[in-house]
């Protein structure tokens, strides 16, 4: 079975990359059970709870990340260095229960996937 990793590297507002990635993630979940979700760079902002996208005239899709476990998607990793660089920590409230890992560990986990899609 093909293992697919989704890497979210874009901020949630200002582009449609995050929403498109989430749509692709949900569609792929019907085709394979081996999915990993990674948040790096500005993509860590995709996980922040309490966002108010209407304030910047954006659609609210962030809450949809909460339902991923209902689709049997349960492997979530967040880059610790990306959090730290943005003034966040593993104590920051996220919409998902994600594992915070250092970049080397994140790369190791990514290496186990056959396909890597970046949004």
């Amino acid at each position: 079975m093909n293992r697919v990793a989704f890497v979210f590297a874009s901020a949630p507002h200002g582009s449609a990359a995050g929403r498109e990635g989430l749509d692709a993630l949900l569609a792929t979940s019907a085709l394979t059970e081996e999915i990993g979700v990674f948040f790096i760079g500005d993509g860590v902002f995709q996980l922040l709870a309490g966002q108010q996208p209407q304030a910047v005239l954006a659609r609210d899709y962030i809450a949809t990340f909460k339902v991923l476990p209902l689709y049997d998607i349960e492997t979530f990793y967040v880059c610790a260095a990306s959090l730290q660089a943005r003034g966040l920590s593993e104590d920051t409230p996220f919409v998902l229960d994600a594992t915070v890992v250092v970049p080397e560990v994140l790369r190791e986990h990514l290496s186990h996937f056959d396909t890597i899609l970046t949004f």
Side-chain angles (χ1 to χ4, degrees):
M1 188 175 301
N2 209 14
R3 295 176 48 107
V4 181
F6 286 81
V7 178
F8 288 88
S10 303
H13 310 299
S15 80
R19 186 178 67 247
E20 290 170 355
L22 184 57
D23 289 344
L25 176 56
L26 292 172
T28 303
S29 72
L31 304 173
T32 184
E33 294 178 10
E34 305 229 18
I35 295 177
V37 185
F38 298 79
F39 298 89
I40 63 170
D42 285 342
V44 300
F45 292 125
Q46 299 281 353
L47 290 175
L48 291 181
Q51 294 190 45
Q52 298 177 352
Q54 64 279 6
V56 292
L57 304 176
R59 286 182 50 203
D60 185 13
Y61 67 90
I62 301 294
T64 308
F65 278 105
K66 293 183 207 177
V67 303
L68 292 180
L70 297 175
Y71 288 82
D72 292 326
I73 303 168
E74 298 173 344
T75 305
F76 309 105
Y77 296 103
V78 180
C79 177
S82 296
L83 288 176
Q84 183 180 20
R86 286 152 185 82
L88 305 170
S89 73
E90 56 188 90
D91 296 327
T92 302
F94 297 127
V95 295
L96 282 173
D97 185 22
T99 303
V100 177
V101 295
V102 296
E104 296 78 18
V105 173
L106 189 130
R107 282 191 292 276
E108 172 63 27
H109 286 302
L110 264 176
S111 72
H112 298 290
F113 290 88
D114 302 310
T115 303
I116 299 172
L117 303 171
T118 304
F119 296 92

